[in-house]
Amino acid sequence: SGGLSVFSGLSSLSLSLFLTLCLLLLDELRCVAVALCLVANVMAGKYSREMNEAKADGGDGPTAEFRIAKLNQVWEKAKRMELSPVRQAELHSDLKIQEKDELQWKKMKVEGLDENGEKEAQLRRNFNVILAKYGMDGKRDTRTLENNSLKDHDIKEGDIFDDPRLDKLWNKAKSSGKFSSEELLSLKREFQHHKDKIHEYNILMDTVSRTEEIHKNVISPLEGEAKEHVLHQKHTDLKQKMRDLNQGFDRLRKLSHEGFTEDSEFREPRVIELWEAAKRANLSTDELDSLKEELHHFETKVEKHSHYQEQLELSHQKLQHVEALGDKEHIKRNQEKYNTLAEKTREMGYKMKKHLQDLSNKISRQGLEHNEL
């Protein structure tokens, strides 16, 4: 009887221990399940982003400037180059626009849009243009701003636009006596804008030539068809840019001969160009009036951005002067001011370029709709 009671006590103790162990094991399994869910969520979050999205160098490291790795690589390289502060800020704005466009394209791709790869090819082209524009395409810039009729052009003291036709026109306008100092500054901005457009055209032509070389070596017929489409699009872009250049030069020639008129709607070259395009786009009077108002707002934005660029250049010169003197406290104060101004200039540059992009698309879209009617 005593033995049975001890045995019974031991059995109930074993059962109790067994149940406790089971509960502990279940608890452990639940913890493991929760941990696995967390890991799965983290991994899903990690791989739901594109693999080339930028990641910080570590938990405590600095956050990446851009959300796409290749854009960060370009930015880091640019910081090691001797770009002027204004040019570096311009590059930052261009990279921000590229980032916005690429992230939008990724959404399009997920939704099954851009099947023929046209948008993807355009993004690649835009990226190559950025690299070439800032001398980051791995080669010296040999794209001369030459004109077929005036290739044997000797550089003279008054030549500031690297293009014989522009230099000839500028020197003639400058010595004509038709322009006030302020008007000459506006005219010079227009000439500089045209020079930049010639440069962009030459970059695009260079990328088309390289694509054509690659196209010759294509074996697969399907791949060949895709590249044929991309090449056709590039040639269409080139033709449009050449038309824009010719119209721009005609306008400069007229302006240089006749001077600025009292009823000039706008002062900024980019805004004038948009307004001229809008007038050619067969828009209704109401649409033109609405666009004119929007362009006035945009011009204010462009002028404000130009003012910040000037202030950034001055701030950089002051910082260099202070650094030469060696007063650490003074250097720190000026460095902080310069950094704040640089950030503001980049931000304004991005907003201005995005607005320019939106306006260009709007004019093209409205013009196309009217032509189809």
Side-chain angles (χ1 to χ4, degrees):
S1 157
L4 281 171
S5 115
V6 168
F7 181 78
S8 172
L10 282 169
S11 296
S12 36
L13 184 65
S14 298
L15 185 62
S16 172
L17 190 61
F18 174 74
L19 288 170
T20 304
L21 285 169
C22 283
L23 286 169
L24 285 169
L25 188 59
L26 280 169
D27 203 46
E28 281 290 315
L29 286 168
R30 193 160 48 245
C31 289
V32 169
V34 169
L36 283 170
C37 284
L38 285 169
V39 170
N41 284 335
V42 169
M43 294 303 280
K46 180 182 176 184
Y47 291 109
S48 66
R49 293 188 296 270
E50 290 292 326
M51 281 186 71
N52 71 337
E53 272 198 27
K55 299 165 190 70
D57 292 333
D60 301 322
T63 54
E65 191 74 22
F66 300 95
R67 292 165 62 187
I68 296 171
K70 69 178 180 183
L71 302 184
N72 275 314
Q73 287 163 7
V74 170
W75 180 242
E76 290 305 317
K77 183 181 177 182
K79 288 196 288 187
R80 295 192 296 271
M81 292 168 67
E82 289 186 6
L83 293 176
S84 71
V86 170
R87 198 146 167 76
Q88 195 182 80
E90 280 289 286
L91 170 63
H92 192 278
S93 306
D94 283 340
L95 291 174
K96 273 288 178 191
I97 291 288
Q98 183 74 16
E99 178 184 55
K100 171 187 72 72
D101 291 345
E102 291 213 14
L103 292 175
Q104 279 176 354
W105 170 75
K106 283 174 186 174
K107 285 181 186 174
M108 282 173 65
K109 199 177 174 186
V110 168
E111 290 163 11
L113 303 170
D114 194 38
E115 284 182 10
N116 61 6
E118 192 175 314
K119 181 70 178 171
E120 184 181 9
Q122 186 188 15
L123 285 171
R124 198 181 300 118
R125 187 162 68 249
N126 292 349
F127 183 64
N128 288 335
V129 165
I130 290 171
L131 294 180
K133 184 178 170 183
Y134 295 94
M136 300 173 76
D137 55 350
K139 59 181 182 180
R140 287 181 64 207
D141 195 355
T142 56
R143 292 171 287 264
T144 53
L145 306 181
E146 58 189 24
N147 178 277
N148 290 335
S149 60
L150 289 163
K151 283 188 179 178
D152 303 320
H153 164 68
D154 296 323
I155 303 298
K156 301 188 190 76
E157 193 182 335
D159 297 347
I160 57 172
F161 298 108
D162 305 319
D163 179 88
R165 291 199 308 169
L166 284 182
D167 285 324
K168 187 179 177 183
L169 202 57
W170 167 249
N171 289 324
K172 197 173 178 181
K174 201 168 62 164
S175 57
S176 68
K178 291 177 187 171
F179 301 94
S180 66
S181 302
E182 194 177 327
E183 284 173 336
L184 269 178
L185 279 174
S186 296
L187 188 64
K188 191 175 182 180
R189 276 205 307 272
E190 296 236 17
F191 272 77
Q192 184 60 49
H193 177 63
H194 192 79
K195 174 190 167 179
D196 293 342
K197 286 187 71 180
I198 296 171
H199 188 53
E200 283 178 20
Y201 174 81
N202 287 330
I203 288 168
L204 186 58
M205 199 155 69
D206 191 39
T207 60
V208 168
S209 301
R210 287 207 302 270
T211 309
E212 281 177 337
E213 281 300 313
I214 295 163
H215 184 59
K216 286 174 190 172
N217 302 321
V218 168
I219 299 164
S220 159
L222 286 172
E223 196 181 344
E225 282 174 26
K227 287 191 174 168
E228 190 73 55
H229 178 80
V230 170
L231 270 177
H232 176 72
Q233 186 57 45
K234 282 191 174 187
H235 280 293
T236 304
D237 287 355
L238 273 174
K239 284 176 188 172
Q240 183 56 52
K241 282 195 180 290
M242 180 50 81
R243 274 196 295 271
D244 291 346
L245 281 175
N246 289 334
Q247 285 162 352
F249 187 77
D250 287 344
R251 190 184 170 280
L252 279 180
R253 187 161 47 199
K254 187 182 176 191
L255 198 56
S256 301
H257 289 156
E258 298 175 11
F260 288 95
T261 57
E262 290 289 322
D263 60 345
S264 294
E265 288 287 349
F266 304 101
R267 298 173 300 278
E268 284 294 329
R270 277 168 288 200
V271 185
I272 292 164
E273 194 173 66
L274 286 170
W275 180 238
E276 294 295 326
K279 287 192 289 187
R280 290 193 302 269
N282 197 25
L283 304 182
S284 69
T285 308
D286 286 346
E287 284 172 329
L288 275 175
D289 287 342
S290 171
L291 192 65
K292 189 192 288 185
E293 192 177 335
E294 196 175 347
L295 285 172
H296 277 299
H297 289 304
F298 176 61
E299 186 169 57
T300 304
K301 199 178 280 186
V302 173
E303 287 172 343
K304 195 174 177 184
H305 178 237
S306 296
H307 171 72
Y308 267 86
Q309 285 182 317
E310 288 167 15
Q311 293 304 308
L312 180 64
E313 191 56 55
L314 289 171
S315 176
H316 184 248
Q317 289 170 10
K318 188 176 179 183
L319 179 61
Q320 285 180 314
H321 175 69
V322 168
E323 282 173 342
L325 297 174
D327 182 341
K328 287 184 180 178
E329 191 56 42
H330 208 178
I331 290 169
K332 188 185 173 186
R333 275 203 309 274
N334 278 275
Q335 184 70 59
E336 284 170 358
K337 282 181 188 174
Y338 171 75
N339 290 345
T340 304
L341 200 52
E343 195 175 330
K344 185 71 177 170
T345 307
R346 289 175 205 160
E347 185 188 321
M348 287 184 72
Y350 168 71
K351 286 178 179 175
M352 187 268 292
K353 286 183 181 188
K354 185 180 179 299
H355 198 171
L356 174 64
Q357 196 180 51
D358 292 343
L359 283 165
S360 299
N361 291 338
K362 185 178 181 179
I363 291 166
S364 300
R365 192 169 57 249
Q366 285 182 334
L368 196 65
E369 284 168 4
H370 279 274
N371 290 335
E372 285 173 352
L373 290 175

